[in-house]
Amino acid sequence: MTDATDLAERAGDRDPRVGLRAVSALRRLLEQLEAAQVRSARAQGWSWQEIAAELGVSRQAVHKKHGRH
């Protein structure tokens, strides 16, 4: 079982402490994955608008979040 799968299962735990910790860990993982993909897209010449469209956010939002990388 992968770490992400394990975390997803724990996110549904009946114990809120376990579930909330798993949700927090998943949020951190998601942020790391998004940053890695944005860096990859930029390295391949993607515009901020193209990246924003794929993420379902505005160009300004994605640039503000990832533009300093």
Side-chain angles (χ1 to χ4, degrees):
M1 187 178 307
T2 67
D3 289 341
T5 302
D6 184 46
L7 286 172
E9 285 184 11
R10 285 191 278 150
D13 197 282
R14 295 180 72 106
D15 180 345
R17 189 174 316 277
V18 172
L20 290 168
R21 286 178 182 163
V23 167
S24 179
L26 283 167
R27 189 177 291 122
R28 286 189 305 273
L29 176 60
L30 180 59
E31 290 297 321
Q32 293 168 358
L33 292 169
E34 180 179 306
Q37 289 299 332
V38 169
R39 282 192 306 272
S40 176
R42 292 294 292 165
Q44 293 180 42
W46 284 40
S47 70
W48 290 113
Q49 184 61 47
E50 290 172 305
I51 295 167
E54 294 303 319
L55 291 174
V57 299
S58 70
R59 178 193 60 77
Q60 293 85 354
V62 76
H63 186 265
K64 181 178 179 181
K65 185 173 182 180
H66 298 284
R68 61 191 173 273
H69 297 269

